[in-house]
Structure formats: C-alpha cells, structure tokens
Amino acid sequence: MEAITIKDIAKALNLSTSTVSRALRNSYEINPETKRLVMEYAEKMNYRPNPIALSLKDSKSKSIGVIIPEIANHFFSQLINGIESIAYNLGYHVVIFQSHDSYEREVANTNYLVSRKVDGLLISLASLTTNLFHFQDLMEKGLPIVFLDRVPKEIETHKVVADNFDGSYRATVHLIESGRRRIAHVTSPIYLSITTERLAGYKKALEDFDIPFDESLVKYCIYGGKVVEENEAAMEELLNLPEPPDAFFTASDRLTTGCMAVLQKRHIKIPEEIAIVGFTNISVAELLNPPLTAVVQPAMEMGQQAVELLIRLIEHPQKTGDYEIRSLQTSLILRDSSVGSKVNIKVS
Amino acid sequence: MEAITIKDIAKALNLSTSTVSRALRNSYEINPETKRLVMEYAEKMNYRPNPIALSLKDSKSKSIGVIIPEIANHFFSQLINGIESIAYNLGYHVVIFQSHDSYEREVANTNYLVSRKVDGLLISLASLTTNLFHFQDLMEKGLPIVFLDRVPKEIETHKVVADNFDGSYRATVHLIESGRRRIAHVTSPIYLSITTERLAGYKKALEDFDIPFDESLVKYCIYGGKVVEENEAAMEELLNLPEPPDAFFTASDRLTTGCMAVLQKRHIKIPEEIAIVGFTNISVAELLNPPLTAVVQPAMEMGQQAVELLIRLIEHPQKTGDYEIRSLQTSLILRDSSVGSKVNIKVS
DNA sequence: ATGAAAGCGCTAACAA
DNA sequence: TTGTTAGCGCTTTCAT
C-alpha cells in the first residue's frame, strides 16, 4: 500500500540500508551480485526514492521555480511551454507561480519556492516590483536566478529578453511610413525594463523621421490594462487631445485589446481614422476586426533559452560575472489594422 | 546565512528543541515566559519552519496539485485563477502542471505530485486519457481528488462541471431559431465527458425542433484543434458535403478560432452564409470579425468551487460515498457571428 | 564489500 | 513544565 522504502528492501534482502543505497546509486565498492539482487528487487517492487527525503538531505529538488505576472496571457503561456519542454527533457520539474503583478505576491512566492528548495528561479518581474532585495539576497546566497522579459538592471545574472528596442522601432517606423504623424504610445509602468526599451525604440524612430516627441502622446498604465477603467481613461485623454492621435502603438496584450475595444465602441474606423499596432503575442490577431498588426516575441524560444541558462548555472555554478544577456528578434506581422494589404516581415 | 532552524533557537536560548517546537506550535504545557522568549527570538531571527522537513515527517505539504490539459487557453487559465484565489486564502499552495492532453504526461505529473506529497489533486482529464487506473489507485489509498470540467464517469468523487448539456442545447436552439437547419458540430474526442454532454444537448435541440440528426455533420477532433491540419480536414469534409452546413457549433477555443480562420480564408460570409457559435471563454470574442456568439463557462467560479470541495475533503476526510457533482450555469452571449444585433442572455 | 551510526529539520511519545 | 529519544527516507562517513 504505502510506498516502498530502502529500508523495506534492506529487510527483505537481509542487507543494511546503506548497502541498498549504494547498490541503487551504482556506487563504487559493491558486489555485482548484491547489486543485481537489489536492483531486481527494487524494480520488481517498483521502488521510487522519496524526493522529499532527498531534498531534506541535500537541499536540492531537481525542480525550478517560475514566477511570472500572469498565466492568462499568450506571451507568458508560450514562455511556460518553452520552459517546460526543455526542463522536462533535462529532468527538472517546473513549478509555476503568478505574481499577478503584485510585489507582495512575488515576494511570498519567492519565499515559498526557496523554502521548498527549488534549485533555481526563473523570473519575469511584477510590474509593481521596485524593491529587488528579495532576489539580491538570494543571489548572494548562491541561488541561481535567471530573469526573462521583464528584467532588472540592478542585478547581474543571465537575462533573456526580446529585442524590445528594435521591435518598437520597426513598428513605429512602419506607422510613420504609412503616413502617421501623431502616434500614441500606450504602455506599461515606466519602471519595467520592457517599458523603457520600447519607449526608446519609439522615440528613436520619431527622431529619425524628424517628428518631435510629444510627451502627451505617451500613457503609462500602472495596471497594464488589467483595470479597464485605467485603460479607458488613458484612451479618453488621448482622444480628447487638441490634436488627437492618428495611430496607437500599444505595448501589451491587454493594452492592445483594450484600445481596440474602446475604438470600436466609439465607432472609430481602423485603420482609416486611427491605425493600431500591438506589441502582443495574442493568438487570434488574424481574426480580429480588423486583423491586427503585431510585434510578436519569440516567447517559446525565450523560455527555452532561459531554462537552458538556468540549468547550466545550477549544474555548473559560476564563480562570478560573465553573465549573458540574450536578446532575441521579434517579428513584425503587418495586417489590416495598419495597412491595406497583408505582408510579413522578419525584423532583423 | 543559512536559514535558521529550531536547533539554533534551542542552542541560543539554552532549551531543548522539543521545548522550542512546543513554544512555536503554541502547544499546551509550556511556560508562558519560555514561550514568549522563544517567540521573540524566532521573530527576531526571522525563523521559518522548513516545509520539507514537515512534509517528510507527516507526509503532508499544505499544497495541492493541479493537472490541466494546457495553460494557453482562457478557460483553463481562468480556472487556475479561481483555484489560486481560494487556495491562497486557505493557506494552500497550488502546483500547476500541464498534461498537454497526453496520457503519459498526465501519469508522470500525477506521480510526481504524489511523490511530492501534495495533499490533494485537482484534475481536468487529458483528452487522450482512457485508462484511469492512476487515479483510482490513489483514491483507494485515500488521496483526495476532485475532478473538474473533464470528468470521469467511472470514478466516484466530487466533481465540478459546467452544465454542458444545457449550454449546448441553448446554443443549438438559438441557431435553429435563427433559421439554421444544417448545423455542424465540431467537437473534441468522444470519450471526454464534455464531448458527450455537449453532443447530447445538441441532439436534444434538433429533436425538439424535429430536425433529423445527421451523423455526417458531427466531427470529432482528436487533437481538439491543436493540430491545424486536423481541424482543416474536418472543415473541408463538412464544406464539401452534398448539403453543406449553414452553421457551425464548435466545442472549444481552438476549434472555434480554427473554424473561423478556415471560413475567413475561403471568404465565406459570417453569418450570412454560415453562422458560428463557439463553446469558448476566449477573451476577445467581442473583437473578432465578426464578433463571436459564445457559450461561456463560469471558469473562475468552477475553479473556486473545486478547490473548496477539495480542501474540505483534505481537512475532513469522508469515509465514503456522498459526493457532490456541481453543475454550473453557462451564459450564451449573442453576437454578430450568429445574429445581427447584440443581446446577452443568461441561460438558466 | 558491507554494516553501524549520524544527520538533514521537525514532532511526539515517553521520562523526569 | 521541560528534556530525551526515536523516527520520517535517504546518503555518507567511519568502522569492520
């Protein structure tokens, strides 16, 4: 009934637990015959070592913790799929938690994972996280951490990100070349890395085309579109500007769909009156009305690379420095929300 | 540096570990003064009991395992949010795994969770699962399990489902009343509970309106739309029928968007030529082209109720029988994909 | 080549 | 009221 233990095997075979352990672990000094006996019996009884006991013993768990803002978002669920596929093959389990963009939740999840002795952490920062002590502390204690997507400048470790600057630059250039001049940028809180990078790409594009940057065209949404009112308020202000925007460049799934909903409600024609480009991995972009032009991140691949780096860190602890920052290409997929005809362009 | 243990406290305060344990645990026979001392010191040193040691000791973990087909699906991610919100408040941690609809993965995940001593399991069956032994076995050993959404007939325990029959019935009636007669039903594998229930609702509606059931109008997609070709092949066959359908009733997110994509590719007008209603929780139904009529499940609530039942089971083990099957209402949201004007109807 | 014993952190039965 | 001891399952010195 209850799971069989090493002790049971020892008793059955009239051996000591240490001998059994050695046999199972394929250890050095062990009689081949004894080993065979133990192996066979263990196999027959379907013995499985108790991972909890192992964790208690050496503070390891062959599992990694993942903390992301939220699961109900295509970018993040693709990220997870990438993470899982690799981790699974390398024999690690993945424990997923959502921070719901709350600092407190992020800290609580982190503590839990650490107390459960995960071997490493994969983090995409909550938008409300400004204090990084909970991670810095762990890093100093030697816990491997890799950040992805939303990464902190202040912490030195491996990081995997999309080339946000470039994706944003291309999207903006595309809008400009399509004749837009008043391009609004609706984005996430300013203290997220993705926000500043995307903002920078946006600004650079304007600059390259000699369009003056207008602060009033940029809206930072603390809740990233999760609070409908916030999003609507931002849209409201933009649309009521003396010189309203002729295009929207939105920085996330929620922000994008939120904006589209508002435009639709107001019966504003897309793209005739206002064009829209979203930085989003939403799966049904093609089916939207109109089909949505999007900057798509290689989410799956980002997840894969991040775990690879993490597991490398776990299995071959580095002394110091020499951390990688991998920046992956995004793709700009052109659709009707910003142009008439459909074209796919791989951004380099 | 390293986490502080009960032993450290004992040493520092010149007590035995058991006394410290008792003080912390607020146990009976304990000198208030001693207790205060211990508490204070523990607080000061930021003592946290090691959950692994606790799990090893009493084979409990204050955590519950969740296995669902996939995360990248709004229905399931909402389910998870419901689960987490309640579990969190009741002091349980939630460990999420995806089966990716594979039987092997489901078994592997189950074994892992059990070996990690989760206190209970919340399961939505993989579409390729036909053998239920891995769950039956655990139930016999007394591990609390609650099923939700995709539930097995053969296992007696708490179950939480949407009223699939009713939702499906209403959707079909709606299509019939809108003048459709050749209603195709594109659905998941037949051995899933949701499939048979939805099929039954569909049939009943036809029957009530004296429309003969036509087997050739029903397509079962083994991969539930995850394999594009399968979906397209099904559509192909349906559209090439001597008497092709004038409406589609699709049973999941993927199936729905897949169908829409095919119709769009073929330039078939929705709803003029073919109407479509999806059994889906997709978040952007309103923004699709055309806006999609949908049967929406109360996913969040289903998750909440399921954990509640599970935790009740964990904390107050029942001897036998007397299990609940909760069936929650769905909502039929009418939009342009099946009608001209927009109306919301709460299905009873 | 094998066994005895200690220890990972904690709790609980038993002594004192 | 407090301390001692054993044990959860496993690995790993240290003896033998």
Side-chain angles (χ1 to χ4, degrees):
Chain A
M1 197 80 298
E2 283 306 301
I4 182 173
T5 74
I6 249 182
K7 197 195 262 181
D8 301 323
I9 302 184
K11 202 175 299 170
L13 267 46
N14 232 292
L15 291 168
S16 75
T17 58
S18 37
T19 303
V20 175
S21 173
R22 276 190 284 251
L24 257 15
R25 215 123 307 297
N26 195 14
S27 182
Y28 47 125
E29 305 149 323
I30 185 86
N31 185 320
E33 180 58 12
T34 312
K35 180 172 161 186
R36 198 183 54 74
L37 272 174
V38 171
M39 289 301 236
E40 265 173 19
Y41 188 76
E43 171 71 16
K44 177 173 141 226
M45 301 301 285
N46 194 27
Y47 168 78
R48 293 279 172 276
N50 179 328
I52 302 221
L54 288 174
S55 296
L56 181 59
K57 185 116 238 310
D58 30 74
S59 295
K60 277 194 178 165
S61 61
K62 272 283 184 182
S63 66
I64 65 186
V66 177
I67 306 178
I68 53 169
E70 58 162 1
I71 272 173
N73 177 306
H74 265 268
F75 172 69
F76 289 116
S77 43
Q78 286 169 5
L79 216 52
I80 290 175
N81 285 340
I83 293 169
E84 278 200 332
S85 64
I86 298 290
Y88 189 80
N89 288 335
L90 296 179
Y92 283 78
H93 283 273
V94 177
V95 183
I96 305 156
F97 281 100
Q98 307 186 62
S99 65
H100 293 288
D101 274 325
S102 140
Y103 169 71
E104 286 72 26
R105 284 270 202 149
E106 184 175 280
V107 173
N109 290 336
T110 305
N111 289 338
Y112 177 78
L113 288 168
V114 169
S115 72
R116 281 281 159 194
K117 298 284 181 284
V118 288
D119 299 337
L121 245 29
L122 229 39
I123 309 286
S124 185
L125 293 172
S127 65
L128 297 177
T129 292
T130 45
N131 182 336
L132 294 165
F133 183 70
H134 51 305
F135 295 129
Q136 281 159 335
D137 185 42
L138 291 172
M139 289 221 43
E140 273 165 26
K141 289 184 182 162
L143 184 74
I145 302 184
V146 170
F147 289 92
L148 73 176
D149 180 50
R150 297 149 162 228
V151 306
K153 254 204 213 54
E154 302 82 348
I155 299 185
E156 280 250 323
T157 180
H158 291 318
K159 299 172 191 173
V160 176
V161 295
D163 190 337
N164 290 297
F165 177 90
D166 181 75
S168 189
Y169 178 82
R170 299 288 180 138
T172 310
V173 166
H174 159 65
L175 284 168
I176 296 173
E177 290 183 336
S178 308
R180 311 289 165 166
R181 284 298 173 274
R182 297 282 296 163
I183 303 170
H185 185 35
V186 183
T187 187
S188 26
I190 188 65
Y191 33 87
L192 281 179
S193 57
I194 52 174
T195 306
T196 51
E197 291 165 16
R198 291 172 192 174
L199 182 63
Y202 162 84
K203 280 185 173 173
K204 182 65 164 56
L206 294 180
E207 190 187 317
D208 285 357
F209 284 80
D210 293 319
I211 299 176
F213 171 67
D214 181 350
E215 184 70 64
S216 69
L217 284 175
V218 179
K219 293 290 174 196
Y220 305 93
C221 295
I222 303 260
Y223 299 104
K226 253 157 285 172
V227 175
V228 185
E229 292 73 25
E230 181 187 38
N231 202 346
E232 285 178 348
M235 293 289 290
E236 191 82 21
E237 288 181 39
L238 287 167
L239 294 171
N240 289 338
L241 243 31
E243 238 188 308
D246 55 13
F248 280 89
F249 174 40
T250 48
S252 75
D253 286 16
R254 296 285 180 92
L255 256 14
T256 304
T257 54
C259 282
M260 284 190 78
V262 170
L263 294 182
Q264 194 172 289
K265 199 183 295 172
R266 293 200 172 208
H267 303 291
I268 293 177
K269 290 209 182 69
I270 310 173
E272 292 81 354
E273 296 178 61
I274 296 188
I276 179 164
V277 173
F279 212 112
T280 167
N281 276 39
I282 191 170
S283 62
V284 293
E286 179 74 42
L287 299 177
L288 296 182
N289 183 19
L292 177 74
T293 294
V295 179
V296 177
Q297 303 181 69
M300 178 97 74
E301 212 183 323
M302 289 171 69
Q304 294 174 333
Q305 299 213 13
V307 227
E308 277 171 10
L309 288 171
L310 181 62
I311 293 181
R312 189 194 298 169
L313 222 44
I314 292 171
E315 301 187 344
H316 312 283
Q318 301 184 336
K319 302 299 149 259
T320 166
D322 202 26
Y323 289 114
E324 279 188 53
I325 298 189
R326 297 209 185 154
S327 179
L328 309 196
Q329 283 180 204
T330 58
S331 309
L332 176 63
I333 314 284
L334 302 185
R335 298 202 186 84
D336 295 354
S337 73
S338 67
V339 289
S341 63
K342 186 188 155 190
V343 189
N344 288 358
I345 295 177
K346 188 76 179 179
V347 172
S348 68
Chain B
M1 196 79 300
E2 284 306 301
I4 182 174
T5 73
I6 248 181
K7 198 194 264 183
D8 300 324
I9 302 184
K11 202 175 298 169
L13 267 46
N14 231 294
L15 291 167
S16 75
T17 57
S18 40
T19 303
V20 175
S21 173
R22 278 190 284 251
L24 257 14
R25 213 127 307 297
N26 195 13
S27 181
Y28 46 128
E29 304 148 325
I30 184 86
N31 185 321
E33 179 59 11
T34 312
K35 180 172 160 184
R36 198 185 53 75
L37 272 175
V38 172
M39 290 301 237
E40 264 173 20
Y41 189 76
E43 170 72 15
K44 177 175 141 227
M45 301 301 283
N46 195 25
Y47 167 80
R48 295 278 172 275
N50 179 329
I52 302 223
L54 287 174
S55 296
L56 181 60
K57 183 122 238 309
D58 33 71
S59 295
K60 278 195 177 160
S61 60
K62 271 285 185 179
S63 66
I64 65 186
V66 176
I67 306 179
I68 53 167
E70 57 162 4
I71 272 172
N73 176 306
H74 265 267
F75 172 69
F76 290 115
S77 44
Q78 286 169 3
L79 216 52
I80 290 175
N81 285 341
I83 293 169
E84 279 200 332
S85 64
I86 298 290
Y88 190 78
N89 287 336
L90 296 178
Y92 283 80
H93 283 272
V94 177
V95 184
I96 304 157
F97 282 101
Q98 308 186 62
S99 66
H100 292 289
D101 274 325
S102 139
Y103 169 71
E104 286 72 27
R105 284 270 202 149
E106 185 175 281
V107 173
N109 288 337
T110 306
N111 289 337
Y112 177 78
L113 288 169
V114 169
S115 72
R116 281 282 159 192
K117 298 284 182 285
V118 289
D119 299 337
L121 246 27
L122 230 38
I123 310 287
S124 186
L125 293 171
S127 65
L128 297 175
T129 292
T130 46
N131 182 335
L132 293 165
F133 184 70
H134 51 305
F135 294 129
Q136 281 159 334
D137 185 42
L138 291 173
M139 290 223 40
E140 274 164 25
K141 289 183 182 163
L143 183 74
I145 303 184
V146 170
F147 289 92
L148 73 175
D149 180 50
R150 297 148 162 226
V151 306
K153 256 204 211 54
E154 301 83 347
I155 299 184
E156 281 251 323
T157 181
H158 292 318
K159 298 172 192 172
V160 176
V161 295
D163 190 339
N164 290 298
F165 177 91
D166 181 75
S168 190
Y169 179 83
R170 298 290 179 138
T172 311
V173 166
H174 159 64
L175 284 168
I176 296 173
E177 289 182 337
S178 307
R180 310 291 166 165
R181 284 299 173 272
R182 299 281 296 162
I183 303 171
H185 185 34
V186 183
T187 186
S188 27
I190 188 64
Y191 34 86
L192 281 179
S193 58
I194 51 174
T195 306
T196 52
E197 291 166 15
R198 290 172 194 175
L199 182 63
Y202 163 82
K203 281 184 173 174
K204 182 65 165 58
L206 294 180
E207 192 186 316
D208 286 357
F209 283 80
D210 294 319
I211 298 177
F213 170 68
D214 181 349
E215 184 69 64
S216 69
L217 283 175
V218 180
K219 294 290 173 195
Y220 305 94
C221 294
I222 303 261
Y223 300 103
K226 252 158 286 172
V227 175
V228 185
E229 293 73 26
E230 180 186 39
N231 204 345
E232 286 179 346
M235 293 289 290
E236 190 82 21
E237 289 181 38
L238 287 168
L239 294 172
N240 289 338
L241 244 30
E243 240 186 308
D246 55 12
F248 279 88
F249 174 40
T250 48
S252 76
D253 285 17
R254 296 284 181 95
L255 257 13
T256 304
T257 53
C259 282
M260 284 190 78
V262 171
L263 294 181
Q264 193 172 290
K265 201 183 295 174
R266 292 198 172 211
H267 302 292
I268 293 176
K269 290 209 182 69
I270 311 174
E272 293 82 354
E273 297 178 61
I274 296 187
I276 180 164
V277 174
F279 212 112
T280 167
N281 276 39
I282 192 171
S283 63
V284 292
E286 180 74 42
L287 298 179
L288 296 182
N289 183 19
L292 177 75
T293 294
V295 179
V296 177
Q297 304 181 67
M300 179 96 74
E301 212 183 323
M302 289 172 68
Q304 292 174 333
Q305 300 214 12
V307 227
E308 275 170 12
L309 288 171
L310 180 63
I311 292 180
R312 188 194 299 168
L313 222 46
I314 291 170
E315 300 186 344
H316 311 284
Q318 299 185 337
K319 301 299 150 259
T320 165
D322 201 27
Y323 289 115
E324 280 188 53
I325 298 191
R326 298 210 185 152
S327 179
L328 309 197
Q329 282 181 204
T330 58
S331 308
L332 176 63
I333 314 285
L334 302 184
R335 297 202 185 84
D336 295 354
S337 73
S338 67
V339 289
S341 63
K342 187 189 154 189
V343 190
N344 288 359
I345 296 177
K346 188 75 178 179
V347 172
S348 65

